[in-house]
Amino acid sequence: MAKLEVEGLCKRYGDHLVIDDVSFHAEEGEVISLIGASGSGKSTLLRCINFLERPFRGDIRLDGERLLTCSERPGGELVAVDARQLRRFRARLAMVFQSFCLWTHMSVLDNLVLPQRHVLGRDEEAARAQALAQLAKVGLEAGIARRYPERLSGGQQQRVAIARALCLAPEVLLFDEPTSALDPQRVGEVLEVMRALANERRTMLLVTHEMSFARQVSDRVLFLHRGRIEEQGAPEAVFGDPRSPRLRRLLGLG
Amino acid sequence: MNWDIILDSAGLYLSGLRLTLGLTLASLLFSFLLAVPLALAKWSGGAVTRAIISGYTLLFRGTPLLIQLFLIYFGLAQFELLRESWLWPWLSSPLVCVLLAFVLNSAAYSTEIFAAGLAHLPRGEIEAARAFGMSAWVRTRRIYLPAMLTRSLPLYGNEAVMLMHATSLASTVTLMEITGVARNLTLNYYIQFEPYVTAGLLYLILTLSLVGLLHWAERRWAGYLVQR
């Protein structure tokens, strides 16, 4: 059984179809990259999976369990039937955002402890220990825990955000262009952390413009164009010998 | 100069100071308790909720506090139905009327200040809280409220100081807070300067204490907003 299944997903803004009947699945331990030009719908697709965006059709399954949804009116957006099931799904699918989205009014430590306390119900002591362990894992020193996120560099903030996601022991990690908001010299440190996670055989979905990174770490690459999967396959095939002319253009192969 | 009179009236000023302080703190407390849910409702509610709350804040921010106080204290007495109701023992008390006016007025300003604080909360922080599976209650308590309060602290501090100064209006409906005490001395002893200067000095001390308290709170909780 696949870890994560996405089936027949459709999303539109007004009359504009941004995701057009997309289906794919991720096996346990698989790293899947979503690539495509800006506006191809890859971020929207990722955000539909944890219902930050509401699709109007489609199913999401985690370990075979379907997220129960219904639409309030015919053709309208889907909403979760059971708010608690949705919260449980979201915690199992931790997300890392392009702009970090750390809570600026609390220290790094509180950022890592808060979701553990209130989503997993861990006690304070266990949550702190987990937070410090994950900080060390993303290569940050413990002294950073007391500081406010905005006092840190972009690369450090994104690594804190990854640690925050890891603290929930998620089954699938969703990365939404995690290096796009970083200074070029900070990109490497974040990619390094992500490479280590991929090597641990974590299930990861990665929206990215970093083609060479996607080629190195992915088990499978999906190329999106106008909300549809236009090409998919192993990275060697997709990057080495792309068939879609639009993918060839995106990769600069003429 | 007649400073002897002021010295002899130290007890009066002290009780005036107590009343001013009591009015300020009670009004701030109740208006805060009213403004926080109103701001959250205005920020997250539907069009009807927003319109109702905006109507309320427009009404109380668009008219002078003195008029609101007179309408509550003198104006309501005109209605027979009200005079015969169980509310009347309350509404005929100047203290209750003053508090009602101050609370409703200050809550209107505070609601807008807090709502603006919420509007400045980065969208991504809200999304992250949702994406991690936090319930609405946890998001409100741990993300929205602290972010809102810290972001509006400087403006809210101004509002608190203005409200403290506005409590001097209570003297117009017989309450003997600092201004009332001073006014009484001018009438009894035919001196104008000394009583009012003394009153001004007391307000200044209160203001400085309040500002010091607010600065401490800003350093304690809103330090993350300071640009380096």
Side-chain angles (χ1 to χ4, degrees):
Chain A
M1 182 177 27
K3 187 81 207 167
L4 172 72
E5 289 169 87
V6 174
E7 202 180 299
L9 202 73
C10 296
K11 166 75 186 171
R12 68 183 159 213
Y13 294 121
D15 286 337
H16 180 56
L17 207 56
V18 271
I19 302 293
D20 184 3
D21 194 20
V22 166
S23 302
F24 69 96
H25 65 272
E27 299 295 335
E28 171 110 49
E30 202 175 15
V31 177
I32 298 182
S33 290
L34 305 171
I35 60 170
S38 304
S40 58
K42 52 195 191 307
S43 276
T44 308
L45 172 58
L46 199 70
R47 293 162 56 83
C48 280
I49 292 174
N50 63 1
F51 263 60
L52 279 185
E53 303 276 353
R54 291 174 178 167
F56 75 92
R57 199 181 300 146
D59 279 332
I60 310 289
R61 281 193 178 79
L62 254 181
D63 277 337
E65 180 189 348
R66 191 171 80 89
L67 180 68
L68 302 174
T69 56
C70 64
S71 53
E72 285 161 332
R73 56 191 170 78
E77 293 179 334
L78 295 175
V79 291
V81 173
D82 178 359
R84 282 163 61 187
Q85 191 202 21
L86 176 62
R87 292 209 301 272
R88 213 173 57 238
F89 259 61
R90 283 173 164 170
R92 294 166 70 188
L93 298 162
M95 190 175 236
V96 175
F97 297 83
Q98 178 178 351
S99 50
F100 328 135
C101 301
L102 296 168
W103 299 300
T104 48
H105 65 276
M106 50 178 98
S107 70
V108 165
L109 184 66
D110 289 340
N111 265 275
L112 303 192
V113 165
L114 183 69
Q116 297 183 62
R117 298 272 284 130
H118 292 285
V119 179
L120 301 186
R122 276 199 188 126
D123 65 59
E124 179 80 24
E125 207 171 319
R128 275 168 184 256
Q130 176 67 265
L132 292 175
Q134 297 301 346
L135 274 184
K137 191 179 169 70
V138 299
L140 293 170
E141 48 186 283
I144 263 179
R146 279 176 287 112
R147 301 176 63 188
Y148 284 121
E150 289 193 332
R151 297 278 186 263
L152 308 177
S153 74
Q156 289 172 322
Q157 287 188 56
Q158 193 60 297
R159 284 190 280 161
V160 170
I162 294 173
R164 176 175 67 173
L166 293 175
C167 279
L168 291 180
E171 294 159 50
V172 181
L173 281 164
L174 308 175
F175 289 92
D176 186 8
E177 302 197 31
T179 56
S180 296
L182 296 176
D183 296 334
Q185 66 267 32
R186 298 288 186 182
V187 170
E189 61 189 71
V190 172
L191 291 184
E192 204 175 305
V193 170
M194 291 167 60
R195 189 190 311 274
L197 294 173
N199 289 340
E200 285 175 15
R201 308 309 303 158
R202 283 181 185 266
T203 316
M204 290 165 55
L205 244 53
L206 166 63
V207 170
T208 188
H209 291 288
E210 296 282 337
M211 297 300 178
S212 64
F213 181 74
R215 184 172 190 161
Q216 289 162 27
V217 303
S218 308
D219 298 302
R220 202 141 49 92
V221 178
L222 310 185
F223 169 63
L224 258 74
H225 178 71
R226 291 200 178 157
R228 287 177 156 275
I229 298 180
E230 184 153 294
E231 189 160 340
Q232 62 174 310
E236 302 79 41
V238 171
F239 288 109
D241 182 25
R243 269 156 296 173
S244 154
R246 282 178 285 263
L247 177 55
R248 295 188 73 87
R249 214 170 311 134
L250 183 74
L251 298 174
L253 298 173
Chain B
M1 289 278 164
N2 288 295
W3 293 107
D4 295 350
I5 296 173
I6 303 297
L7 280 179
D8 291 342
S9 317
L12 288 175
Y13 273 110
L14 195 67
S15 67
L17 185 71
R18 257 203 308 266
L19 184 55
T20 294
L21 210 56
L23 284 175
T24 305
L25 295 180
S27 307
L28 279 178
L29 174 71
F30 290 119
S31 73
F32 180 84
L33 293 178
L34 204 58
V36 166
L38 281 177
L40 283 167
K42 187 182 176 197
W43 176 63
S44 61
V48 178
T49 313
R50 282 205 309 273
I52 291 172
I53 296 172
S54 296
Y56 156 67
T57 64
L58 178 72
L59 205 64
F60 278 86
R61 296 190 312 153
T63 54
L65 175 56
L66 188 59
I67 297 290
Q68 293 160 21
L69 176 57
F70 282 176
L71 273 175
I72 291 173
Y73 184 65
F74 299 116
L76 292 183
Q78 200 176 310
F79 298 97
E80 178 120 24
L81 206 69
L82 216 50
R83 277 207 311 278
E84 282 162 10
S85 80
W86 58 273
L87 279 170
W88 191 242
W90 295 91
L91 285 177
S92 59
S93 146
L95 188 65
V96 170
C97 288
V98 156
L99 279 176
L100 199 60
F102 291 171
V103 167
L104 288 176
N105 182 274
S106 179
Y109 282 96
S110 306
T111 298
E112 291 299 336
I113 290 170
F114 291 152
L118 280 171
H120 284 113
L121 175 62
R123 229 184 106 76
E125 296 191 30
I126 301 166
E127 279 201 332
R130 290 172 56 216
F132 279 94
M134 290 186 198
S135 65
W137 167 241
V138 169
R139 294 200 304 263
T140 304
R141 201 160 49 92
R142 300 304 303 268
I143 311 285
Y144 307 156
L145 277 182
M148 169 185 100
L149 294 178
T150 48
R151 277 165 202 279
S152 23
L153 204 49
L155 276 177
Y156 184 69
N158 278 347
E159 167 56 23
V161 169
M162 307 256 275
L163 176 66
M164 201 254 289
H165 292 169
T167 58
S168 62
L169 296 180
S171 62
T172 60
V173 293
T174 73
L175 290 184
M176 295 303 275
E177 38 64 88
I178 295 175
T179 308
V181 169
R183 172 118 182 96
N184 243 18
L185 290 180
T186 65
L187 296 176
N188 291 341
Y189 298 97
Y190 307 108
I191 50 172
Q192 300 294 327
F193 186 76
E194 298 88 338
Y196 286 133
V197 161
T198 310
L201 210 61
L202 289 175
Y203 281 115
L204 191 63
I205 293 168
L206 284 180
T207 304
L208 290 177
S209 318
L210 194 55
V211 167
L213 195 69
L214 287 159
H215 278 174
W216 172 82
E218 264 178 64
R219 269 199 312 278
R220 172 82 176 71
W221 285 294
Y224 72 97
L225 292 168
V226 180
Q227 295 293 320
R228 272 195 202 158

